[in-house]
Amino acid sequence: MSSVHQKAAFRRVTLSPLEIGAVVVAVLLVACAVLPQWLAPHPPLAVSPAESFQAPNATHPFGTDDSGRDILSRVIFGARESLTIGLVATLTGLVFGVALGAVAGGSRSRWAAPIRLAADRLIEALFAFPGLLLALLVIAVRGPGLASIVIAVTISTAPGYARMVRGGVRRALTSGAVEAARLQGDRGPRIWSLLVLPEALRPVLVLATLGVGHAVILAAALGFLGLGAPPPAPEWGAMLNAGRPYLTQAWWMTVFPGSMILLVGLTTTAIGRSLERRGRFA
């Protein structure tokens, strides 16, 4: 490899300070989700009324809540549930959205027209509802709980993926590369696997990185409304709601869980924007 090519490759893999910080934070969040029992200084459900409303100190760096439970330990254990919801809901929403978008943007044959039209209408109908309202509708039907939140977040995020895939599939099917492949005798499965799907999925995978943060924020909003895991489960949204009555008396009960939600959103946004820039200029 020439020195010019080596320098170009080095520039492509060099990370900015912001990107390095986002990666470090992402690794720490994953560690909290995978090994909370190793990182938390106290059991997250241990109640100690004598230690209630303690401000941040050496023993309890994030303070304690109204029941004397350690906020830092609850925040660390809360990462597992919040990130699990975010990752699972994003993955299922991505699969559902890609399938729906591919059908809506796919074949122009006459026999496929009713299916394509039905998929189009379903995407627009789901997209017409605000994400939180659609999630509340799902939970109203199924009832609160972790599974309901995953389903609610999946259904509320899938239309965005579906619309993007639909547009990407339609652009790819009318591109010069696909027309050339057809003239060379290539048929549907080969064209879709080599030309259409890679082109349509490239921006969606970047959007899915941003979607993890969006899913965590949406799940926290549902938890704040009391529709997530039942108390005293260490869930960030529920912790925000529990600390709301004591905002002036014990600010740490809301500031630290809220900061974690914000941190997840900022981290996934930074990583997603970085992937988008690198994909655009690669």
Side-chain angles (χ1 to χ4, degrees):
M1 181 183 292
S2 67
S3 60
V4 175
H5 290 162
Q6 289 176 342
K7 291 179 180 179
F10 179 75
R11 283 197 298 270
R12 283 198 294 270
V13 300
T14 299
L15 299 178
S16 69
L18 177 61
E19 292 168 336
I20 294 174
V23 171
V24 170
V25 171
V27 171
L28 291 176
L29 289 171
V30 172
C32 289
V34 176
L35 302 170
Q37 65 277 7
W38 288 11
L39 301 176
H42 303 279
L45 303 181
V47 175
S48 179
E51 298 181 343
S52 60
F53 295 119
Q54 285 194 10
N57 54 63
T59 305
H60 303 285
F62 284 8
T64 61
D65 62 9
D66 53 330
S67 298
R69 294 173 296 208
D70 183 65
I71 298 293
L72 175 58
S73 301
R74 291 177 61 78
V75 164
I76 291 175
F77 272 86
R80 170 176 290 179
E81 181 166 325
S82 296
L83 293 182
T84 297
I85 292 173
L87 292 172
V88 173
T90 299
L91 180 60
T92 54
L94 183 63
V95 172
F96 178 57
V98 167
L100 188 59
V103 172
S107 174
R108 294 298 181 214
S109 61
R110 181 173 301 178
W111 66 267
I115 300 176
R116 189 180 69 248
L117 181 62
D120 260 332
R121 295 297 177 265
L122 180 58
I123 292 174
E124 298 305 327
L126 292 175
F127 211 81
F129 287 91
L132 183 58
L133 180 61
L134 191 60
L136 290 174
L137 179 62
V138 173
I139 292 178
V141 174
R142 285 186 49 88
L146 182 60
S148 295
I149 286 187
V150 170
I151 295 173
V153 175
T154 296
I155 295 177
S156 63
T157 56
Y161 301 131
R163 175 177 278 190
M164 181 170 286
V165 171
R166 180 183 63 184
V169 166
R170 289 177 178 175
R171 286 192 301 271
L173 287 175
T174 57
S175 66
V178 170
E179 293 298 330
R182 286 172 175 164
L183 291 175
Q184 293 175 359
D186 291 337
R187 292 295 177 260
R190 180 176 174 81
I191 291 176
W192 273 79
S193 61
L194 296 180
L195 298 175
V196 177
L197 286 180
E199 183 65 26
L201 291 180
R202 188 176 297 113
V204 178
L205 296 179
V206 175
L207 180 64
T209 305
L210 303 174
V212 173
H214 173 70
V216 170
I217 293 172
L218 182 55
L222 296 172
F224 180 82
L225 296 175
L227 302 176
E235 194 274 325
W236 292 341
M239 292 174 67
L240 276 177
N241 187 38
R244 180 174 50 85
Y246 310 106
L247 187 58
T248 57
Q249 176 185 356
W251 53 267
W252 51 89
M253 290 180 61
T254 53
V255 167
F256 290 116
S259 297
M260 294 301 295
I261 298 170
L262 178 62
L263 191 61
V264 171
L266 292 176
T267 300
T268 55
T269 299
I271 294 175
R273 296 302 183 193
S274 176
L275 292 175
E276 182 181 24
R277 288 194 302 271
R278 292 175 185 278
R280 184 180 299 168
F281 297 110

